[in-house]
Amino acid sequence: MAISDSLQATKNRIAAACVSAGRAPDAVRLLAVSKTFPASAVREAFSAGARAFGENYVQEGLAKIEALIDLRSQIEWHLIGPLQSNKTRSVAEQFDWVHSVDRLKIAERLSEQRPAELQPLSVCLQVNISGEASKNGLLPAEVAPLARQVAALPRLRLRGLMAIPEPGPEAATQHRAMAALFDALKAEGLDVDTLSLGMSADLEAAIVAGSTMVRIGTAVFGTR
C-alpha cells in the first residue's frame, strides 16, 4: 500500500476510534514514527498530509532534518527515544519536541541549551507504567515532583506524559493509569495538554483511555 493510502487509512482509524469513544473526530493527533525509514518516505508522507514525525535515534533524526531542510518550517520533529546527556545540545537546537524526559538533569540541559530565538522546546515526561526493567521512564510516584520542576524551567514547555504500555492483557489497565496520572497533573494546576499514548496495535484502547497523541509507525510506513 502506498504511504498516502496507509496514512489516510490510519487517520480514518483514529477518527473512528475517537467517535466510538465519544470524543471529537479530531481530538487525537497523529505522530508518524519514521524511524529506520529514509527521508524520501518522510517526504512522501508529508506530501500526503503528515506534519509531525517521530524519531527514536538522535543521529538518524538529525540526518533527516538536514535532508528535509526545505520543509523545516512546516515539519514538527519529535524525539521519542532515549536521550543521553551528551546528545542534549543537538536535540535542543534541532528538534521541536522530546517525549522521553525522565531525569531532571536532562531537562536542565535541554533548557540551558535551547536557543533563545526558537520557541520553547515541548517536552513530555516518560513514564515506565508497566514497571519493566528493560524500559526507561519514571515510576508513577516520581511523575508529579519532576513535572513541577520541569514546568519551572525556562526555554521548555511541559506538555504532558508519554508511555509505552506492555502489550497484553494489562495494557488497558496501564492506559487508564496513565490517564489518571495525566489528570492528576492538570488537577495540580499544571498546564499540560498531551498524553502521548498508543501505537499501531493499541491506538483504539489508548484513545478510549484519553490519549491525545498516538505514535504510529508500521500502520503508516509499513513493516520495518
Side-chain angles (χ1 to χ4, degrees):
M1 184 184 293
I3 288 176
S4 58
D5 294 333
S6 58
L7 179 66
Q8 187 57 54
T10 301
K11 288 181 176 179
N12 292 344
R13 185 179 163 196
I14 293 168
C18 287
V19 171
S20 180
R23 302 172 65 186
D26 59 353
V28 177
R29 294 186 65 197
L30 167 62
L31 177 62
V33 177
S34 45
K35 68 173 184 180
T36 77
F37 288 95
S40 58
V42 175
R43 190 178 292 277
E44 186 177 347
F46 175 87
S47 297
R51 290 296 180 268
F53 294 90
E55 290 288 330
N56 277 58
Y57 307 108
V58 174
Q59 291 307 124
E60 181 184 348
L62 292 173
K64 289 177 194 173
I65 292 171
E66 179 61 28
L68 299 166
I69 197 67
D70 57 306
L71 303 177
R72 185 64 188 92
S73 64
Q74 301 174 73
I75 287 182
E76 197 174 78
W77 289 101
H78 296 234
L79 180 70
I80 60 176
L83 177 57
Q84 299 172 324
S85 296
N86 63 349
K87 300 284 182 65
T88 54
R89 182 174 296 280
S90 57
V91 170
E93 292 174 348
Q94 299 294 330
F95 282 80
D96 302 297
W97 284 65
V98 178
H99 290 232
S100 50
V101 172
D102 61 2
R103 304 189 304 282
L104 181 60
K105 177 183 177 182
I106 293 293
E108 289 175 334
R109 288 177 65 89
L110 290 170
S111 175
E112 293 165 1
Q113 295 166 347
R114 181 68 169 176
E117 68 272 14
L118 297 181
Q119 291 292 318
L121 181 66
S122 292
V123 299
C124 291
L125 303 185
Q126 182 171 352
V127 184
N128 185 357
I129 196 63
S130 59
E132 296 170 81
S134 60
K135 285 183 180 175
N136 294 328
L138 300 160
L139 296 176
E142 298 171 326
V143 171
L146 183 59
R148 290 190 290 268
Q149 291 174 304
V150 172
L153 293 171
R155 312 303 309 148
L156 298 185
R157 180 183 172 191
L158 177 65
R159 300 299 294 262
L161 304 176
M162 183 273 270
I164 309 170
E166 184 178 13
E170 295 302 314
T173 299
Q174 293 166 17
H175 289 141
R176 290 192 294 270
M178 283 300 302
L181 286 172
F182 182 59
D183 289 343
L185 294 185
K186 290 192 286 187
E188 279 202 27
L190 291 172
D191 184 19
V192 292
D193 61 6
T194 301
L195 180 57
S196 173
L197 185 68
M199 298 184 288
S200 295
D202 67 338
L203 72 83
E204 285 86 1
I207 288 172
V208 167
S211 171
T212 68
M213 182 183 292
V214 289
R215 308 182 305 274
I216 309 299
T218 302
V220 171
F221 292 102
T223 304
R224 291 180 173 82

